[in-house]
Amino acid sequence: MTDTPNGNATSPDSAEGAAPEDSGFRAQVMTQYIKDLSFENPQVKRILEGPPEDTKLTIEVNVNARRVQDGLFEVQIDFTATAKGTERAVYQLELIYGGLFQIENLPQDALEPFLLVNCPALLFPFLRRIVADLTREGGFEPLLLDPVDFGQLYLQRKRAGSVQTAAAADN
C-alpha cells in the first residue's frame, strides 16, 4: 500500500480511479423465523417427580431449500426431539426454523451445497437457543444441542439420493 498526496491508501496493483469490480458472489440473510412449532408435554403431573431415569432422547434434523423467486431462497431446518420413558412419551418438540437468503453470482453447481450446508449453519445457533428455552420452559432441563455437521448430513443425503436441488424443484 502506498499513500497518495491526499492521504488515501492505494494498492500497488489497482489502477488509478478504477471502480471496484462487483461481479463476486454475494449472500445475504434477508430474514429468519419460526415457521412451525409444537411442544407436547403429556405427563405434566410427573414433572414434580423429575424425568424417568431411563429416558431415551431421539433427535432428528433435516434440511430443505426451495427457490422463492429469482435469487431468493427459503432454507428450513426441520427439527424433532422426542424424550420417552419406559412407559410413554416425556415430551416431544417439533420445530421448523427457516430463513430467506438472497444469493447472487453463485455458480449453479455450488448452489445446492451452499443452501443445504452453509445456510443452515447460519440458522442453527438460533434454533439451538429456541430448543433450550422451550425445553426449560416446558419444565425440563434445557436441551443443549451439540453442533450439527450439515456438510456430513448433506453428503449422507446425497449418497442416499434424497437431495433435491432447489433449481430442480422449480422445473
Side-chain angles (χ1 to χ4, degrees):
M1 295 278 202
T2 59
D3 285 334
T4 60
N6 63 4
N8 295 332
T10 61
S11 173
D13 57 351
S14 68
E16 278 290 321
E21 213 175 286
D22 191 25
S23 63
F25 162 70
R26 185 171 162 239
Q28 182 178 4
V29 181
M30 302 304 288
T31 189
Q32 55 191 51
Y33 46 87
I34 295 173
K35 190 167 185 176
D36 191 19
L37 174 61
S38 172
F39 184 84
E40 298 174 23
N41 186 352
Q43 299 185 43
V44 174
K45 292 179 184 177
R46 294 193 180 184
I47 288 178
L48 295 175
E49 300 169 10
E53 294 199 18
D54 56 348
T55 300
K56 291 187 178 186
L57 181 64
T58 305
I59 294 177
E60 295 177 32
V61 178
N62 199 3
V63 179
N64 296 299
R66 70 179 184 92
R67 184 185 312 268
V68 175
Q69 63 188 38
D70 192 37
L72 186 65
F73 297 87
E74 178 185 44
V75 175
Q76 65 184 37
I77 303 172
D78 297 352
F79 175 84
T80 303
T82 305
K84 289 186 179 181
T86 53
E87 299 167 9
R88 51 183 102 142
V90 176
Y91 69 81
Q92 181 165 357
L93 169 63
E94 296 173 352
L95 172 62
I96 299 175
Y97 194 77
L100 288 178
F101 293 83
Q102 183 76 42
I103 300 174
E104 299 172 1
N105 301 324
L106 184 64
Q108 190 65 31
D109 61 336
L111 183 61
E112 178 183 279
F114 185 80
L115 290 172
L116 297 177
V117 176
N118 298 82
C119 293
L122 292 171
L123 297 174
F124 186 76
F126 301 95
L127 177 140
R128 183 179 191 269
R129 193 203 80 230
I130 292 167
V131 167
D133 289 348
L134 281 170
T135 51
R136 186 190 69 241
E137 294 297 324
F140 302 97
E141 290 291 318
L143 176 55
L144 302 175
L145 299 173
D146 290 332
V148 172
D149 185 349
F150 289 103
Q152 187 64 33
L153 181 63
Y154 172 73
L155 291 175
Q156 287 172 355
R157 285 181 62 188
K158 191 90 167 156
R159 276 187 229 119
S162 62
V163 172
Q164 181 182 19
T165 65
D170 283 348
N171 297 332

